[in-house]
Amino acid sequence: MTPTQLRAYSAVVRLGSVKLAAAHLEVSEAAVSLHIGQLRKELGDQLFTRTASGLAFTPGGLRLASRAAELLGLQDITVLEVSAAGRGRRLLRVGASSLFAEQAAPGLIELFAGRAADLDVELSVRNPAAFASLLQSRAIDIAIGPAPKVPDPAISGRPVMNYRIVLVAGPDHPLAGTQPSARQLREQMWLLGPSAAADGSAIRMLLRRLSVPDEHQQIFQSHAAALEEAKRGRGVAAALNFTVAAEIRAGRLVQFSGPHTTLDDVWHAFTLADPGAPASAAELARFATTPRALQAMMRGAGVHVGRFRPSVHVTLWS
């Protein structure tokens, strides 16, 4: 088996067709079919067959799918580690939910990275629903964000930080100073950051709990941008309580009260449960729960530009 063959097979498994896999890999369908044929011959297994409803994988094909992801992930991380080791440095790749990445991660990453002169920490925004697959494929070393609905036995998780989502608006908002009902909140324009679009996020859960219609939700490029719009009286915004405390004290924002206006949740740190996880990932998971780390996350210090890899959020309207 070669890495090229495994990448072709993994693309077929992930995308569900040879045609889509070829387009994703930017090769011809014939090339993908050739790689699949070579794997079938070497392994003595058909791997999958085409049916009217799509591809049907054999038990051996399913087993190869999981192993292929592991092997390719190990290859990628080995290339990175060898390159970093050649420069005398270690690399820790952190994947985080958008809310944590924007509001809490910079202070944590800067403090943690400063403890070891030979450690580079890279932060990227990831979908929490993909945490398990990203860790298992070695695309990231540690993930921080909301806990999944269904735990994965291959992933080890530990709580990092309790936080509260509060609902705020500008001081001139019609509902400022009141205790709004669920119906009144549903009727408002909600000004939201990228995490509102991620399943499992606290803000998403708050929106669903109140049954806020899609047409009353505006998602901005950042949570900070959404808050700026709220200050101008253009709607209500959901925010972390410690990030808006100063603005509330200064009178630039007003926090709503009542049973429908807050939601408590917990960020968790996730690493691979097996011994293959980098030691620095487990170290960060432990460090994130210390008082110094919690203070750094709430203080919100900036992170060095070389340690942040933002993902692009695209919203389409029709």
Side-chain angles (χ1 to χ4, degrees):
M1 293 182 291
T2 68
T4 303
Q5 293 168 352
L6 292 176
R7 290 190 190 282
Y9 183 71
S10 290
V12 171
V13 172
R14 188 172 67 254
L15 300 173
S17 79
V18 171
K19 181 178 181 180
L20 292 176
H24 174 74
L25 297 171
E26 298 182 344
V27 298
S28 66
E29 291 183 48
V32 173
S33 296
L34 176 62
H35 295 317
I36 299 300
Q38 291 169 334
L39 286 172
R40 284 170 168 165
K41 182 178 180 180
E42 180 177 353
L43 297 173
D45 192 297
Q46 188 64 15
L47 302 180
F48 63 83
T49 58
R50 292 181 175 85
T51 68
S53 58
L55 300 181
F57 290 87
T58 67
L62 294 174
R63 179 63 61 86
L64 177 62
S66 62
R67 290 300 186 194
E70 293 178 15
L71 291 169
L72 291 171
L74 285 172
Q75 181 192 31
D76 291 340
I77 195 172
T78 300
V79 171
L80 288 171
E81 288 178 345
V82 169
S83 176
R87 295 180 283 110
R89 304 198 63 80
R90 294 178 294 153
L91 175 65
L92 177 64
R93 296 163 299 165
V94 181
S97 62
S98 61
L99 185 62
F100 182 86
E102 181 180 343
Q103 306 285 10
L108 172 66
I109 298 304
E110 195 65 20
L111 183 61
F112 181 74
R115 299 167 73 242
D118 67 333
L119 180 66
D120 288 328
V121 183
E122 291 182 345
L123 173 66
S124 60
V125 176
R126 303 287 187 164
N127 184 348
F131 278 173
S133 61
L134 290 167
L135 287 167
Q136 289 173 325
S137 65
R138 271 67 172 186
I140 57 176
D141 303 309
I142 181 173
I144 305 180
K149 295 179 180 179
V150 181
D152 190 321
I155 305 300
S156 175
R158 66 188 309 169
V160 167
M161 181 180 181
N162 298 316
Y163 64 94
R164 171 169 289 183
I165 297 295
V166 297
L167 196 59
V168 298
D172 298 327
H173 191 276
L175 295 181
T178 70
Q179 184 172 309
S181 66
R183 180 186 60 80
Q184 288 176 310
L185 291 174
R186 279 194 294 271
E187 293 172 350
Q188 303 307 306
M189 181 58 68
W190 285 62
L191 311 170
L192 305 161
S195 67
D199 285 334
S201 72
I203 293 178
R204 186 69 173 168
M205 286 190 289
L206 182 60
L207 292 168
R208 287 178 174 173
R209 189 175 74 181
L210 292 170
S211 300
V212 178
D214 290 347
E215 59 269 23
H216 288 178
Q217 300 178 34
Q218 289 186 349
I219 299 179
F220 292 82
Q221 70 271 25
S222 69
H223 300 89
L227 283 173
E228 287 300 316
E229 292 300 299
K231 291 178 191 176
R232 298 185 179 101
R234 296 176 181 173
V236 299
L240 287 168
N241 62 339
F242 62 82
T243 64
V244 294
E247 301 279 17
I248 292 171
R249 288 194 299 268
R252 290 186 289 270
L253 285 172
V254 175
Q255 180 179 336
F256 292 110
S257 61
H260 310 292
T261 60
T262 62
L263 189 147
D264 295 321
D265 205 357
V266 183
W267 281 315
H268 289 72
F270 303 96
T271 58
L272 287 174
D274 64 49
S280 54
E283 183 183 353
L284 175 58
R286 290 190 299 268
F287 178 75
T289 63
T290 63
R292 285 188 64 206
L294 294 174
Q295 184 182 24
M297 287 187 277
M298 295 178 67
R299 189 173 63 245
V303 65
H304 188 274
V305 65
R307 293 177 179 146
F308 181 64
R309 292 182 177 180
S311 59
V312 177
H313 298 274
V314 179
T315 304
L316 301 179
W317 289 268
S318 61

